[in-house]
Structures are given as structure tokens and as C-alpha cells.
Amino acid sequence: MRLTVHDIARVANVSQATVSKVLNNYSGVKESTRKKVTDAIEELKFTPDSVARSMVTNKTNTLGLIVGDISNPFFAESAKIIIGKAQEKGYDVIISNTDHDDENLENAIQTLISKRVDGIIISSISRSSMRIKKLHENGFPIVLYNSRVEGDSSNSVVLDNYRGAVLAVDHLVGLGHQNIAFIAGPTKYLTTYERYLGYREALEKHGLVLNTDHVYDGEYDYRKVYDFSYNLLSSPDRPTSFFATSDQMALAVMDAAASRKISIPQELSVVGFDNMSISANAYIGLTTVSQQKENMAELALKKLISLIEKTESDALSIQLSLKPELIVRKTTSAPNKK
Amino acid sequence: MRLTVHDIARVANVSQATVSKVLNNYSGVKESTRKKVTDAIEELKFTPDSVARSMVTNKTNTLGLIVGDISNPFFAESAKIIIGKAQEKGYDVIISNTDHDDENLENAIQTLISKRVDGIIISSISRSSMRIKKLHENGFPIVLYNSRVEGDSSNSVVLDNYRGAVLAVDHLVGLGHQNIAFIAGPTKYLTTYERYLGYREALEKHGLVLNTDHVYDGEYDYRKVYDFSYNLLSSPDRPTSFFATSDQMALAVMDAAASRKISIPQELSVVGFDNMSISANAYIGLTTVSQQKENMAELALKKLISLIEKTESDALSIQLSLKPELIVRKTTSAPNKK
């Protein structure tokens, strides 16, 4: 025999609506009432079956979160913040990992939709993707986190990436660096591309020439970034500083420098982008551009839930751009005088 | 009108079984056949609806993965490995984060079951939990990863944690350390408790006295571990070395040491446990006990899927214990002679 919400309501002596609220973890239920319901569930050995429930309510109270690489602390820390905030609002989160692969992203969206998530937050997507455009136009609740698609009106929350890169270059030039290598990563991502534009135009502003041999625009691969940095640090025209568009890649540069016995910051300055937790560790002390993960997560989630719950009078889409901040720590200093 | 597998099979001119295989991402389907099916899906604008499908097949090809703290790279890197290996075998993975909280764990299990996952991998659970025992006895497919419950026959894959801790202490004593502080974390986790026993008995073996003021057994909280370490490093009876039961906590010790301008390894040696990726970074170079994440994930997943697919002739449960390895890097050396 299958137990129903009706059975629980009867045993708990509350309304079916109250049982639903407790099952869906809504706020605004008195603790004593919640206890009546949970006791009834315990008594009846009832497993709330969200699959069956979703057939009726058409809502699963589950969000999808698509990340580019869960092993990169920027994504893992973002995921933790998003999960925490979603839980407070009564939503579970399913995480999918794409390894920055377009086909995996396509599959992840398909899988999440087929599992009937109420909406999706995407934190890694090519700037030319047509897929999001279609979903957005079809009215499927979707918000891009630290991502944006070119010429698209999908909802997105990003940092002002161009400005963030300018801050990083200004800092290095201000210290006296003229030979600044750049670890960009793939410029098919709009956030990365904007950081690349910021790097290029900041150099120009300071009258410095961009050396394409000193720019890495390959994939996000720790080993490849390490090798590129190691080789560049072994070349005659060795840069005095590196700016990387992620802390994870900045750590790969520092790994290569340490392997070459090059001391930071005495012989090499390094600036990252993200401000992951470990960058603040005093042993590491990475100078970086802060991403405001907390703010981005809060805003992205708020928008997504308002789309799902249709609480907004107007379905205007948003493209938010937050102000970046440079955090100076111990990986940057004036270059070595020779 | 609702489209069905039958419709796709008709358009693609293949059997319904083949369509199912493609939808469920099974291997062993020719690329040309797969394309026929995906083209038909595209043509019909079919969204495979796993919720409806699960009502029929009673299988969702989805696994649950419960982690203690997704922002700890040990868990994030484990998740990435498990997701990758599960995908190869045709399973999606839903990640739940518990923040090492027993009630959250209970909720996570409940949520995953209600979303009809085929099985669950749990990577953080109290050694006294009765919950797993019940699920195991009810025949629900479940495997513990880097976790075990005392006196329980649930399936588990762990490291020989006792032996791992002994390796770490032997290494420090071998270098000449006699004052070895210990960052244990909560001993309600069996893995942590076994590392504690290893620490205690290794000290005894070397004729050293355990100083409980030098042992941290509070919760996994970066700030608390940092504060404990900072205070201990400011005390007259300052230890010459720390052994932490996770790399994440070892990094908190290094953070505190760097803040106190104590240099590693000249004035303080640090040993971690896990061997997360960043510990191998030459800039950091943390000496640590390797967890064999790849092996643990492979074995846990293999067991879980055999339980789900009932491919084993015998439903014997397994408790695997892998051999630990100490990886010596640059955070350990002989203590300062005074």
C-alpha cells in the first residue's frame, strides 16, 4: 500500500497543505506543527516520494547547478554557497560537472531537465552558445553565474571582468613591471575574453607592447598551464610577472616557478583572479581579483527562484555586473633590478 | 501530445531497446546508430523524461553522492573522479553536501531516495550511525567511501587509517621530533578515530607522552583549527611539528604559522592526510599520507553498480582497506636545534 499526504495529514491531525509545506521544507511552519508531521511520518514510515509528487504538483523543488570543474575550488566554493542559500529557501541542488566540455554541457542540461529540475544555474558556458538562448526564449528558468553569452538577453550575474583585469595590470605596472605574461585560458568564454580585452587595453594604456608568445589561451588544464609557464620561465626573455585569469591557474604558475627555484615575489610576481579561500592562506598569500562569490550566488539564486515562483510582476531579464576589487597579498612586489 | 520511445524508434528505424540504450547512455551502441536516434530526437523535439521513464523501468540511472564538505578539495576531487567514472558506466551523479552535520546527512539520504536514485555513495558519516545499518539491511544499494560504521557490515572502501597515522608519526619521530601536536577533528568519524589511535600508539611505541593540550578534536572548522594552532604556536611549550588528519586542516596550521612568521620546515614541520592536488604544488609541497582517491572511487563505484545491477552471484558485503603511502615533500625536516 502506498501512503499519501492525505494519510499523514490524518495521523498528524493537520491540513494536507501543512504536510506539503513541511515536506517541501517551507519556512513559516510552527516548530510544534512541524514536529506533529515528522512524528506522523516516522509512525507511518513514509518516504516522501518527490518523483510521484512532481507528477501532481509539476514542481520538484530541485535546482540544477552546472559547473565547469568541481575540482577547481572556485567552482566547489561557489557550489557550497549556492547549496546553502538554496536550502534556506527550500530547494535541493543537483550538481553536474562538465569539465568545460560543450558536449557535456549539452548533456548536463538535457539530464537536469529530464529530471525535472525547476530551474538551472550555469557557471560555465561558451559565449557563442545558442542553447541558452533557446531555453531562455522558451521561458525555462535559467540564470548564468559568472558567465554570459554574447548578444543574448539571458539572465546573468557576472563580475565586471574587463575592469578586474585592468586593476591587475595597473597594479603590476605600478610596481614597475613591464614584462607581464598572461594566462588567459580559452577565450571562447566571454568572462575570459573580457579579461583578455582588459589585459590588452591596460597594456596599451601604459604604452606596453603585447607579446603573444607570453599569452596562454589554451584550455583550462593544470598540466598545460604548468608546462607553458615552466618553458616561459626558462626562456631568455623571461617575464617578471604573470597575470592569470583564475587562482587555480595562478597556482600552476607558482608551481612551475617553485620547480624552477624562482622565488616569489623576489624574482617573479603573480596575480590571480577569483579569490578562492586558499588564496587568503598566509602561507600562500596570492594577490588576486576578488569575484564576490557570495554576492553573485545570492543574486543569481534570487533571480532564479523568482522566475520559478513567478513572484515578479515583470519578467524582465537581468544582466548584472558587479564591481571587482584587487586584493594585494604577498605574491607581488617590485621587479628585481638587474 | 506526449512522445514516447516508440515514436523515436519508429522515426529512427531502430528497436525500442536501442533507443533505451542511447537514452541511458549505455556503451556498445554503434556511433551511426546513436546518431540515427539523436537525429530522430532532434526531429521530434523529444525530451527524454527520466521521471516518467522511471515510473516504468523503476531505474533512474542516477546515483547519489553525499559529501561532508564540497569546498574541501578532498571531497571535490573525489566527486570529480566518481562523476567521471560513473558517466563512463552510464550513470549520472547527484551530489549532496552535509557540512558534516548529522541532520543534514539524514535529510540528504531522504531527498536522494525520494528522487529515486538507484544507489548512494556516502563519504562522511558518524561511526555510530544506525541509519546506514537499516538501509543496508533493507537491501538498498549503498557504499561508504572513506567512511565506516563501527560493528556494521555495510559495504565500505577506506584507507588503512591507523597505519597511515603511524607512518606520519614515524616520519616525524625519525626526523627527531618529540613534541608533535595533533589536529584530529571530530573522533565521531571512524576514519578520524582510527587515525587518532594510530597517533596515540605510535607515540607510545616511541616512548613519547601524549599531551592532550596538543590535540585538537573539535569540529572541522577552518577558523577553529587556525585559532587552536595559532594559540599553541604562541605558547611556551610550542610543538616542533603538527600532524593533521586532513590536508585542509594542515593548510590551516600552515596559515597560522605563516601569520606568526614561523617558517616551515625550518621552525615547524607539518604533515597532512589526503594528498589533495594542491599539496603536490611545488610552492606548497605538503608532506602527506596519500588517500588513493582513484582506487577508492573505482572500488566503491564498482561495488555500488554491481549491487544495483545485481551482477554478483553473491551479495556478500565488502569492507576494503587500502594501503596508505607517505609522500615526503618540503614541509618536514629535522627540528631546530636550540
Side-chain angles (χ1 to χ4, degrees):
Chain A
M1 188 195 116
R2 182 176 206 100
L3 290 166
T4 65
V5 169
H6 178 77
D7 299 312
I8 303 174
R10 195 172 37 78
V11 172
N13 200 19
V14 299
S15 72
Q16 291 188 34
T18 301
V19 173
S20 285
K21 277 185 196 163
V22 172
L23 289 177
N24 287 303
N25 223 352
Y26 282 127
S27 55
V29 179
K30 263 195 299 184
E31 201 39 54
S32 56
T33 310
R34 185 181 299 277
K35 185 149 182 359
K36 273 197 221 168
V37 174
T38 52
D39 286 350
I41 290 169
E42 186 56 37
E43 192 178 327
L44 292 164
K45 301 274 171 243
F46 178 87
T47 296
D49 186 335
S50 67
V51 175
R53 200 165 68 235
S54 74
M55 292 306 220
V56 183
T57 67
N58 214 15
K59 188 154 177 295
T60 59
N61 273 70
T62 308
L63 307 178
L65 170 63
I66 299 178
V67 299
D69 178 3
I70 194 68
S71 74
N72 175 342
F74 168 70
F75 289 107
E77 291 168 14
S78 295
K80 181 173 178 169
I81 295 168
I82 290 169
I83 291 170
K85 289 183 191 291
Q87 255 168 2
E88 284 169 19
K89 294 170 206 281
Y91 286 84
D92 293 311
V93 177
I94 299 180
I95 308 178
S96 283
N97 190 51
T98 65
D99 276 329
H100 293 294
D101 178 285
D102 289 347
E103 202 182 317
N104 284 346
L105 173 66
E106 189 62 35
N107 289 338
I109 292 173
Q110 199 68 11
T111 300
L112 289 170
I113 290 178
S114 79
K115 291 201 191 304
R116 295 211 170 150
V117 295
D118 298 328
I120 300 179
I121 293 179
I122 298 180
S123 68
S124 171
I125 188 166
S126 304
R127 60 184 155 116
S128 59
S129 169
M130 295 301 292
R131 178 65 164 141
I132 300 310
K133 209 175 156 73
K134 270 190 222 159
L135 282 171
H136 178 66
E137 283 165 5
N138 288 342
F140 185 82
I142 203 154
V143 176
L144 305 181
Y145 169 96
N146 185 38
S147 301
R148 215 150 54 76
V149 175
E150 239 162 11
D152 180 27
S153 62
S154 302
N155 297 289
S156 63
V157 185
V158 297
L159 201 72
D160 182 341
N161 288 291
Y162 174 87
R163 179 82 197 121
V166 170
L167 284 177
V169 174
D170 283 355
H171 170 61
L172 288 169
V173 173
L175 288 168
H177 292 274
Q178 305 219 315
N179 191 342
I180 305 169
F182 184 47
I183 306 292
T187 51
K188 70 174 182 174
Y189 298 108
L190 194 61
T191 49
T192 303
Y193 183 64
E194 288 171 345
R195 291 171 205 178
Y196 168 73
L197 292 181
Y199 166 77
R200 196 177 72 184
E201 293 178 23
L203 285 188
E204 207 175 291
K205 179 179 77 179
H206 293 293
L208 298 171
V209 178
L210 189 149
N211 179 349
T212 52
D213 289 348
H214 287 197
V215 174
Y216 173 87
D217 59 1
E219 46 184 320
Y220 296 124
D221 179 288
Y222 191 91
R223 185 47 50 183
K224 285 183 183 160
V225 173
Y226 176 94
D227 288 343
F228 174 87
S229 310
Y230 192 95
N231 290 335
L232 198 50
L233 288 170
S234 312
S235 76
D237 184 26
R238 189 173 114 185
T240 60
S241 60
F242 274 76
F243 167 41
T245 65
S246 78
D247 285 1
Q248 184 79 336
M249 293 196 292
L251 283 166
V253 173
M254 291 161 75
D255 191 351
S259 301
R260 291 271 296 107
K261 311 270 180 229
I262 292 171
S263 59
I264 297 169
Q266 294 82 358
E267 300 174 274
L268 184 75
S269 286
V270 180
V271 181
F273 207 112
D274 282 346
N275 195 29
M276 2 189 263
S277 300
I278 202 172
S279 307
N281 186 310
Y283 186 78
I284 295 160
L286 177 61
T287 295
T288 188
V289 180
S290 173
Q291 277 270 38
Q292 298 198 44
K293 293 188 292 275
E294 285 273 349
N295 267 343
M296 282 207 296
E298 180 73 38
L299 291 165
L301 210 51
K302 193 175 157 217
K303 180 65 188 176
L304 187 64
I305 292 178
S306 80
L307 289 171
I308 293 166
E309 299 178 355
K310 299 188 178 62
T311 51
E312 288 189 347
S313 54
D314 197 335
L316 274 182
S317 67
I318 54 165
Q319 283 88 42
L320 294 178
S321 187
L322 307 184
K323 207 177 150 214
E325 187 193 351
L326 181 78
I327 299 174
V328 177
R329 297 199 181 100
K330 67 180 200 188
T331 57
T332 47
S333 71
N336 241 342
K337 298 282 173 270
K338 286 195 181 145
Chain B
M1 189 195 116
R2 180 173 207 105
L3 291 166
T4 65
V5 169
H6 177 77
D7 298 313
I8 304 174
R10 194 172 37 80
V11 172
N13 201 18
V14 299
S15 73
Q16 291 188 33
T18 302
V19 173
S20 284
K21 277 185 196 161
V22 173
L23 289 178
N24 286 304
N25 223 354
Y26 281 128
S27 55
V29 179
K30 264 197 298 184
E31 201 38 55
S32 57
T33 310
R34 186 180 297 275
K35 185 149 182 357
K36 271 197 223 169
V37 174
T38 53
D39 286 350
I41 291 169
E42 185 56 37
E43 193 178 325
L44 292 165
K45 300 275 173 243
F46 179 88
T47 295
D49 187 335
S50 68
V51 174
R53 198 165 71 235
S54 73
M55 293 306 223
V56 183
T57 66
N58 214 13
K59 188 154 177 295
T60 60
N61 273 72
T62 307
L63 307 177
L65 169 63
I66 298 178
V67 300
D69 178 4
I70 193 68
S71 75
N72 176 341
F74 168 70
F75 289 108
E77 289 166 16
S78 296
K80 182 174 176 167
I81 295 168
I82 289 169
I83 291 170
K85 289 183 190 290
Q87 255 168 2
E88 283 168 19
K89 294 170 206 282
Y91 286 84
D92 293 310
V93 176
I94 298 181
I95 308 178
S96 284
N97 190 53
T98 66
D99 275 331
H100 293 294
D101 178 285
D102 289 347
E103 201 182 317
N104 285 346
L105 173 67
E106 190 61 33
N107 290 338
I109 293 172
Q110 198 69 7
T111 300
L112 289 170
I113 290 178
S114 78
K115 288 197 195 308
R116 298 211 166 152
V117 296
D118 298 329
I120 300 179
I121 292 180
I122 297 180
S123 68
S124 171
I125 188 165
S126 304
R127 61 184 156 116
S128 59
S129 169
M130 293 303 290
R131 178 65 164 141
I132 300 311
K133 208 174 157 72
K134 271 190 221 159
L135 282 171
H136 178 66
E137 283 165 3
N138 288 341
F140 185 82
I142 204 152
V143 176
L144 305 180
Y145 168 96
N146 186 38
S147 301
R148 215 149 54 76
V149 174
E150 240 162 8
D152 180 27
S153 62
S154 302
N155 296 289
S156 63
V157 184
V158 296
L159 200 73
D160 182 342
N161 288 292
Y162 175 87
R163 178 84 196 119
V166 169
L167 284 177
V169 174
D170 282 355
H171 169 62
L172 288 169
V173 173
L175 288 169
H177 292 275
Q178 306 219 316
N179 191 342
I180 305 169
F182 184 47
I183 307 291
T187 52
K188 68 174 182 174
Y189 298 108
L190 194 61
T191 49
T192 303
Y193 183 64
E194 287 171 346
R195 291 172 204 178
Y196 168 74
L197 291 181
Y199 166 78
R200 196 178 71 186
E201 292 178 24
L203 285 189
E204 207 174 291
K205 178 179 76 179
H206 293 293
L208 298 172
V209 178
L210 189 150
N211 179 349
T212 52
D213 290 346
H214 288 196
V215 174
Y216 174 87
D217 59 2
E219 45 183 324
Y220 296 125
D221 179 288
Y222 191 91
R223 185 48 49 182
K224 286 181 183 160
V225 173
Y226 176 94
D227 289 343
F228 174 87
S229 310
Y230 192 95
N231 291 334
L232 197 49
L233 289 170
S234 313
S235 75
D237 184 27
R238 191 173 111 185
T240 61
S241 60
F242 274 76
F243 167 41
T245 66
S246 79
D247 284 1
Q248 185 80 336
M249 293 196 293
L251 283 166
V253 173
M254 292 162 75
D255 192 351
S259 302
R260 291 273 296 110
K261 312 272 181 228
I262 292 170
S263 59
I264 296 168
Q266 293 82 357
E267 300 173 273
L268 185 75
S269 287
V270 180
V271 181
F273 205 113
D274 281 347
N275 194 28
M276 5 189 259
S277 299
I278 202 171
S279 306
N281 187 310
Y283 186 78
I284 295 160
L286 178 61
T287 295
T288 188
V289 180
S290 175
Q291 276 269 39
Q292 298 199 46
K293 292 188 293 277
E294 285 274 349
N295 267 345
M296 282 207 297
E298 180 72 39
L299 291 164
L301 210 51
K302 194 175 157 217
K303 181 65 188 176
L304 187 64
I305 292 177
S306 81
L307 288 170
I308 293 167
E309 299 179 353
K310 300 186 176 62
T311 49
E312 288 189 348
S313 54
D314 197 336
L316 274 182
S317 68
I318 54 164
Q319 284 89 41
L320 294 177
S321 188
L322 307 183
K323 206 176 151 214
E325 186 193 350
L326 180 79
I327 300 175
V328 177
R329 298 200 180 100
K330 67 180 201 189
T331 56
T332 46
S333 72
N336 241 345
K337 297 282 172 268
K338 288 197 182 144

